[in-house]
Amino acid sequence: MFRNHQFYNNTLATILSGMAVSALVVWQTIPVMAKEATEIAAIAQATTVKIDNNLGVPGGSGVIIAKQGNNYTVLTANHVVKNVNISYVVKTKDNQQHPVTSVKNLQTQGLDLAYITFTASQPYAIATIGNSEYATPGASIYVSGYPLSATISEDRYHEFTTGTITSIRDSASEGYTMRYQALTRRGMSGGPVFNTNGQLIGIHGQGDVIGSVKNESSSIPEPLKTGFNAAIPIQNFTSAAPKELSESSLAIEDTKPEKEKDIDVEATQKYVEGIELLARGDTTRANEYLTQAASKNPKNANAIYYQGLIDYTKRNLDSAINNYNRAIENNSNFSLAYFSRGLAYYRQGNKQKALEDYDNAIRINPSDPWSYLNRGLVKEDLGDTQGALADYDRAVQVAPEYGKAYHNRGAIRYSQRNFNGAVEDFKKASDIFSQQGDTDSYNVAIDSLNKAQKALRNQETNQQTQQQFQNYNTQPNSSTPTTPTVPPTSSPSQPNNSTPTTPIYPPTSAPPNSNTPSQFRDL
């Protein structure tokens, strides 16, 4: 059976670098008191919008920032509305749909930002823009958006999550310099990030960013999934504010958030420093700081969770599972902890418990493609091929650019002798890996594609031979009786290698020696 599969391990992220630009913006200095989380949630719900499109592909979120008459302006991430060939619609909190009348981006300024407009006669609230330069590591933030639902056809509902800023970078690709730990989900891209004053200080756009952390005892990076996120600070937008908005009713307040109450400053600082050390690959010192943070604040589920990740990199699976258990005890909806514990159970060979954890991770976060991918592999191991195929289908639906999901689905199609489907999936996977610059995965996908193409050609040849044989036997011949001749065949699952074939899609590495694609899992 062809099982060249890819299993997603958790991955530590490296936030990319970018730039800011300058323009004139007028600021109002107004004293503002820190708000309760419930107050900020109300502000978020009133100003956050859904952004959908006419193709039915996964959408994103945005935030209303300006009003001129009946014309409203929404700020979002450019990757949410970058396709110029489709139309978009804004859905407001009252479930009204408003066609987008214009889309403009700030790509020329090196920012993954766009502002769109819609017209409405009914009044909608506008977010107050704060000063993101006051944002510092350890500060609390709130992220708002409309994550994807369990199925693409279902409506999306507003979610409001809290987090902690872990660092502010000097530069980052596309402007994502604000980094924080928060539990976000697909579909929340383009949504607002608020400070404790309820002011807009960033646009969320990167969630569960992929990278790696290296264990000091090994030269091989250990993949981890961290829950790190990144936003573009609002200052990047206001300093590049377009002329058509500079005279509008932007609500801007240059106020520093008040000191948070009931916050253990030392515990927060230890946690933030531990996260930064972990991001740099210094797992030993990171563990020391995170242990101290959890000791000072035993309910810090995130600090406990990251201790579990570090244990996992050292292959101390029992300790990792124990820390994941503690994290889940503190936060029963910690989908990331279920995901990671499932991976640890899988490594221990306890596939049933791994399956249960991935079920829980998907129950809490039904738009996480990595959980579907891993659960699909567990189901395959347990003999549930159709269940695995359904999970890969779902992963592709929620993440159309997730190459590993296409590749694993292609592997099942190959095993089912659906070579047309396998070729289609392997081709899509190789294209995605090529675009992403993932050379290793690209080479694996090309290897699989070549083998699937060869199997397809053999299958088509056999079908043609069978057809010719049937046509021959149906021809009337009264003078000489005929004896049917069995045509030559070859097993479609094991392509005939007696005749060399030239790959349709050229590999970038040496041709494979075997006609059965090798297994590839990120375990």
Side-chain angles (χ1 to χ4, degrees):
M1 174 179 172
F2 173 18
R3 296 193 56 190
N4 183 357
H5 291 339
Q6 303 181 26
F7 198 102
Y8 186 82
N9 275 339
N10 318 11
T11 308
L12 236 196
T14 304
I15 305 298
L16 307 175
S17 50
M19 66 180 84
V21 292
S22 59
L24 178 63
V25 176
V26 178
W27 293 81
Q28 305 172 16
T29 303
I30 304 174
V32 177
M33 298 294 292
K35 294 179 170 58
E36 297 291 333
T38 52
E39 296 178 273
I40 300 171
I43 293 171
Q45 189 163 22
T47 59
T48 307
V49 298
K50 280 180 283 188
I51 301 176
D52 287 328
N53 55 74
N54 63 343
L55 292 185
V57 298
S61 303
V63 57
I64 303 175
I65 60 167
K67 177 185 178 183
Q68 291 177 304
N70 289 336
N71 297 316
Y72 289 88
T73 299
V74 172
L75 186 60
T76 185
N78 182 58
H79 68 262
V80 172
V81 292
K82 68 179 181 180
N83 192 334
V84 297
N85 298 316
I86 63 178
S87 58
Y88 296 94
V89 61
V90 169
K91 296 182 180 179
T92 45
K93 68 166 187 174
D94 54 1
N95 290 322
Q96 296 298 308
Q97 299 188 25
H98 309 279
V100 171
T101 55
S102 69
V103 178
K104 297 181 181 179
N105 65 61
L106 300 180
Q107 281 186 302
T108 56
Q109 288 89 348
L111 302 172
D112 182 29
L113 288 177
Y115 56 100
I116 62 179
T117 57
F118 70 91
T119 301
S121 58
Q122 52 268 66
Y124 293 112
I126 296 171
T128 298
I129 296 175
N131 189 341
S132 56
E133 293 182 356
Y134 292 133
T136 58
S140 296
I141 50 91
Y142 303 88
V143 186
S144 174
Y146 287 85
L148 301 185
S149 57
T151 60
I152 295 296
S153 59
E154 290 182 13
D155 199 5
R156 297 188 286 147
Y157 296 95
H158 181 254
E159 290 286 344
F160 179 76
T161 185
T162 64
T164 304
I165 295 177
T166 58
S167 68
I168 303 292
R169 302 299 171 90
D170 292 332
S171 63
S173 177
E174 299 184 304
Y176 284 103
T177 56
M178 182 183 294
R179 185 172 173 174
Y180 45 94
Q181 200 286 330
L183 298 178
T184 60
R185 292 161 54 183
R186 294 180 64 86
M188 295 179 73
S189 281
V193 178
F194 295 100
N195 63 13
T196 53
N197 284 355
Q199 300 164 336
L200 176 65
I201 61 169
I203 295 298
H204 171 74
Q206 289 184 344
D208 281 329
V209 188
I210 297 174
S212 63
V213 61
K214 189 170 72 174
N215 185 356
E216 294 94 322
S217 62
S218 171
S219 61
I220 301 175
E222 172 64 29
L224 297 169
K225 184 181 178 188
T226 65
F228 286 165
N229 298 267
I232 300 175
I234 198 63
Q235 234 61 25
N236 286 10
F237 171 74
T238 55
S239 61
K243 292 181 180 180
E244 60 263 35
L245 286 179
S246 61
E247 297 177 359
S248 70
S249 55
L250 285 172
I252 302 178
E253 295 177 350
D254 186 7
T255 54
K256 187 175 183 178
E258 286 194 349
K259 185 177 180 180
E260 299 177 53
K261 299 178 181 179
D262 301 322
I263 296 294
D264 188 326
V265 177
E266 186 177 356
T268 301
Q269 187 63 30
K270 292 290 185 184
Y271 169 70
V272 171
E273 291 178 3
I275 293 300
E276 282 303 295
L277 287 168
L278 183 62
R280 294 199 294 267
D282 190 346
T283 56
T284 299
R285 293 181 61 207
N287 194 49
E288 293 174 359
Y289 278 87
L290 292 169
T291 300
Q292 293 178 46
S295 176
K296 292 179 178 296
N297 181 7
K299 294 189 177 299
N300 187 337
N302 294 321
I304 299 169
Y305 167 75
Y306 288 120
Q307 290 179 72
L309 286 188
I310 293 172
D311 287 334
Y312 180 83
T313 68
K314 298 175 186 285
R315 293 295 182 264
N316 189 346
L317 300 181
D318 287 335
S319 182
I321 290 173
N322 181 57
N323 278 317
Y324 296 146
N325 291 341
R326 292 170 56 209
I328 291 170
E329 287 173 3
N330 280 284
N331 180 0
S332 60
N333 288 321
F334 201 164
S335 62
L336 209 53
Y338 284 109
F339 177 98
S340 298
R341 190 175 69 178
L343 186 61
Y345 278 137
Y346 186 91
R347 268 198 170 278
Q348 287 187 330
N350 195 336
K351 296 172 184 176
Q352 191 57 49
K353 281 194 173 182
L355 180 63
E356 293 172 4
D357 272 345
Y358 287 125
D359 286 343
N360 279 317
I362 290 170
R363 172 182 57 80
I364 298 167
N365 184 1
S367 59
D368 179 19
W370 304 299
S371 291
Y372 286 107
L373 184 90
N374 282 12
R375 189 174 72 171
L377 278 163
V378 174
K379 285 182 177 180
E380 280 198 76
D381 288 346
L382 294 175
D384 183 8
T385 303
Q386 288 306 117
L389 188 61
D391 276 343
Y392 298 147
D393 284 340
R394 178 59 181 152
V396 167
Q397 288 176 344
V398 300
E401 296 304 313
Y402 192 22
K404 293 181 179 181
Y406 287 101
H407 189 277
N408 284 14
R409 187 173 69 178
I412 287 186
R413 287 177 166 177
Y414 187 102
S415 70
Q416 294 177 335
R417 301 185 180 185
N418 177 4
F419 298 128
N420 273 311
V423 167
E424 179 182 331
D425 277 343
F426 292 145
K427 178 64 167 61
K428 180 67 173 179
S430 63
D431 288 344
I432 292 173
F433 292 142
S434 177
Q435 294 168 7
Q436 296 173 345
D438 186 347
T439 303
D440 291 340
S441 296
Y442 171 78
N443 287 335
V444 170
I446 287 298
D447 183 22
S448 302
L449 176 60
N450 287 333
K451 291 164 184 174
Q453 287 174 330
K454 184 175 181 179
L456 178 61
R457 290 193 294 272
N458 287 339
Q459 184 182 65
E460 291 172 345
T461 298
N462 288 340
Q463 290 172 347
Q464 291 173 0
T465 304
Q466 290 280 5
Q467 184 62 49
Q468 292 172 356
F469 171 72
Q470 292 174 4
N471 292 340
Y472 176 79
N473 281 342
T474 57
Q475 293 177 359
N477 189 339
S478 58
S479 59
T480 305
T482 60
T483 301
T485 302
V486 179
T489 61
S490 62
S491 170
S493 61
Q494 295 292 333
N496 186 353
N497 62 358
S498 60
T499 303
T501 58
T502 302
I504 295 175
Y505 204 97
T508 59
S509 59
N513 296 322
S514 168
N515 284 317
T516 302
S518 58
Q519 186 172 345
F520 177 22
R521 298 191 184 195
D522 293 337
L523 282 175

